[in-house]
Amino acid sequence: MKTSILAALLLTAAVLPAVAQSGPTPQEQIACRGDASKFCAEHIGKPPEMNACLRENKTKLSDGCRKVVESHGG
């Protein structure tokens, strides 16, 4: 369980700095956590690549994550 919590935190930390210039809110991080893991896991820890991946997959993202990506220029 600790491993999965740590993995989720690391994923969250890596996901949205790429999407947001000013940094993601906790709600934005939660909104995109699953989508980032599903569509862009190979880009974790690489903010520019993660941002591009989320934008490229925007039509596949959940409504919440799509709104976050769009609100940050994606």
Side-chain angles (χ1 to χ4, degrees), residues 35 39-40 51-63 65-71 73-74:
D35 292 318
F39 300 113
C40 305
N51 189 14
C53 180
L54 289 173
R55 283 192 319 254
E56 289 169 9
N57 288 285
K58 189 167 69 169
T59 60
K60 300 176 192 173
L61 300 177
S62 64
D63 288 340
C65 186
R66 185 178 318 109
K67 288 177 185 177
V68 170
V69 171
E70 289 173 348
S71 74

